[in-house]
Amino acid sequence: MNTRAEPPVEDFARTADAAVVGKDLAFKDLGLKVGDRMVIEPPAKLGEQPGVVKLIGWVNDLSVLVTMPDTRAWAGPPIEGDEIGVRTFSGRHAYGFSTVVGKRSVRPFEYLHLEFPRRISMRQIRNAERIATSISARVTDADEPVPTVVTNLSATGAEVRVWSPGRAVGDKVSLELVLDIHKVRTRIVVTGVIRNQHDTVDTGEPAYGVEFEDLNAQTSVFLKSYVYQNLVEQPHRRL
């Protein structure tokens, strides 16, 4: 078994926003590495909650090997012949394809052989991609830290519920929030400018639109990772 694919196979989907326009998108073009996370959507008979797996490797034009997902929320484990959807992201692109479980192996540990994908769709993830959130945060540049909630988030800004005492459009603000990135709680502090005040769509509560400024490289990576992770694992949260 190889963990790197051979030259591109034929019959992959062409996509309008492909990184290399006019060429077929091969599995190796996804830029995935052994151990990268992928999200699988189970067949309806098993449930609706997506599961997370890790890439073990692949044999070009034959099979993709992934770890067994946590199936406790499903009616049972996937078996041979089950159709599943797979989503993942790499760099600034989200990918998806449909496949079939070719074999479920239990030795030396449980893992799945998935049929090699023949058609892969791709969508570019832009910095402005936003996701709905409910992240507890603190305003840290007040006399004392003030609690608030981040109701949506992107790599470049956030919607934050109005806190008391309030601020004016154009004011700067410093926010502390904790992001759950692949089950690791990561604390970040961001500084931004309040660009507008409006009512939230879902509850009608007043909120500020905050544009982040002067993000350091590490914080930028954390924000993008959190947004991309949620776009892949919970696409219904995309705004």
Side-chain angles (χ1 to χ4, degrees), residues 82-225:
D82 281 347
E83 295 184 3
I84 61 174
V86 180
R87 300 193 307 272
T88 188
F89 70 87
S90 179
R92 294 183 60 185
H93 294 87
Y95 302 93
F97 58 87
S98 296
T99 184
V100 174
V101 176
K103 184 178 181 181
R104 174 188 169 205
S105 297
V106 296
R107 295 179 183 275
F109 55 87
E110 282 194 299
Y111 62 97
L112 299 175
H113 288 260
L114 306 179
E115 289 188 2
F116 203 75
R118 299 297 178 184
R119 185 178 182 86
I120 301 176
S121 62
M122 179 180 74
R123 180 173 61 82
Q124 184 173 359
I125 300 174
R126 299 174 176 83
N127 281 337
E129 294 276 12
R130 292 185 300 136
I131 56 170
T133 62
S134 182
I135 302 172
S136 296
R138 298 196 307 168
V139 180
T140 58
D141 59 350
D143 293 336
E144 293 185 0
V146 180
T148 184
V149 176
V150 175
T151 49
N152 73 54
L153 183 68
S154 76
T156 58
E159 179 184 73
V160 187
R161 285 182 187 162
V162 168
W163 60 90
S164 181
R167 302 283 179 92
V169 173
D171 284 354
K172 288 196 173 186
V173 61
S174 182
L175 298 168
E176 176 190 74
L177 53 156
V178 177
L179 305 178
D180 187 352
I181 303 174
H182 297 307
K183 299 183 179 180
V184 177
R185 291 175 60 81
T186 304
R187 174 185 171 274
I188 66 169
V189 176
V190 294
T191 300
V193 176
I194 297 174
R195 295 301 185 190
N196 60 72
Q197 181 175 339
H198 58 275
D199 294 336
T200 57
V201 175
D202 53 348
T203 65
E205 296 179 273
Y208 296 126
V210 177
E211 180 184 10
F212 299 148
E213 287 191 333
D214 302 323
L215 292 174
N216 62 46
Q218 185 178 52
T219 299
S220 181
V221 168
F222 286 151
L223 285 166
K224 290 178 181 178
S225 295

Side-chain angles (χ1 to χ4, degrees), residues 34-47:
V34 172
D36 281 352
R37 292 171 181 261
M38 308 171 77
V39 176
I40 66 172
E41 299 172 336
K45 67 178 183 179
L46 296 183

